[in-house]
Amino acid sequence: MGIEDSWHLFIGRRFAQGCWTVAAGLYTKVNQCVDMVDTLVDLVFAVLNSFSEIDKGKFVMLLWSIWRRRNVLLWQQIETSIDATINMALLVLADWLQVKKLDWKGVGYVQHTGGEQVWQRPRSSFLKCNVDASLFCEYSITSWGMVLGDENGSFIACRTITLLGIFNVKEAEAAGLYEALHWIRSMG
């Protein structure tokens, strides 16, 4: 068996072709671009220049999901089906599209007042890290997202972590806080 290159992983393997075929008919569109390029990088740019906005999102998220599936198989010896790989890509895309609708200016810590959540900026020269956990029980996946911002509401950095396995809600939130602290500490 030869070395697996990125083209083979994302386009040439039967599993990848199955993903492109099932994923909302992207196979025909991707193949039209494949015929015009020689490398995966060229393919990505061809797709970004010719697909609709929603198909661009599906394409990029499916690339990520195929890559993630390969890593889970390689490092944890866990097979993921074509449907689960596509569903993960579409779930992340749906979440991303929802997040893009939000106004992130001035996001700070949450203050609870009479059941309402009121966002406030962190104090001057402080940073705020928002952390959230997501449990995908159907796929036995726990995911965390972290966004770091300053007192002006400006974006500093973000990070996501996905782990195969399910926590209960309190454990997932605690693990998210731990991972956020570890991440911030690693930045210096």
Side-chain angles (χ1 to χ4, degrees):
M1 176 186 265
I3 296 174
E4 182 175 62
D5 63 10
S6 57
W7 185 269
H8 181 252
L9 173 64
F10 293 110
I11 305 300
R13 290 188 68 233
R14 196 173 332 170
F15 181 88
Q17 291 174 359
C19 288
W20 297 116
T21 302
V22 175
L26 285 180
Y27 186 74
T28 302
K29 295 176 184 178
V30 170
N31 264 350
Q32 289 171 349
C33 292
V34 164
D35 293 338
M36 302 182 307
V37 299
D38 295 319
T39 68
L40 184 65
V41 172
D42 291 338
L43 176 63
V44 169
F45 282 107
V47 165
L48 294 177
N49 287 323
S50 62
F51 279 25
S52 68
E53 290 301 311
I54 194 67
D55 283 345
K56 287 177 190 177
K58 289 177 185 176
F59 176 79
V60 170
M61 288 297 118
L62 194 50
L63 284 176
W64 167 80
S65 195
I66 291 170
W67 169 81
R68 187 189 161 285
R69 181 231 183 230
R70 181 67 173 152
N71 283 343
V72 168
L73 179 61
L74 182 65
W75 299 110
Q76 299 176 8
Q77 294 76 46
I78 298 173
E79 286 273 353
T80 308
S81 70
I82 288 174
D83 287 336
T85 301
I86 293 168
N87 285 337
M88 178 56 74
L90 296 178
L91 281 170
V92 172
L93 177 59
D95 286 347
W96 171 246
L97 293 172
Q98 194 63 32
V99 165
K100 282 179 55 176
K101 294 178 184 176
L102 300 176
D103 177 14
W104 289 95
K105 282 292 183 192
V107 172
Y109 66 89
V110 178
Q111 180 181 13
H112 296 280
T113 57
E116 290 183 31
Q117 293 184 351
V118 180
W119 292 97
Q120 295 183 351
R121 297 172 191 247
R123 293 185 310 204
S124 180
S125 75
F126 278 74
L127 298 177
K128 166 66 178 147
C129 185
N130 292 318
V131 182
D132 197 15
S134 297
L135 305 171
F136 301 95
C137 298
E138 182 178 345
Y139 303 106
S140 294
I141 293 172
T142 302
S143 217
W144 295 274
M146 302 153 205
V147 178
L148 193 61
D150 67 12
E151 73 270 12
N152 296 316
S154 298
F155 171 82
I156 303 292
C158 65
R159 181 172 188 211
T160 61
I161 300 171
T162 303
L163 178 71
L164 208 53
I166 290 293
F167 293 84
N168 69 42
V169 174
K170 288 183 180 181
E171 290 171 340
E173 293 292 337
L177 290 173
Y178 172 81
E179 291 294 338
L181 290 171
H182 182 72
W183 172 55
I184 292 168
R185 185 175 180 204
S186 73
M187 291 192 288

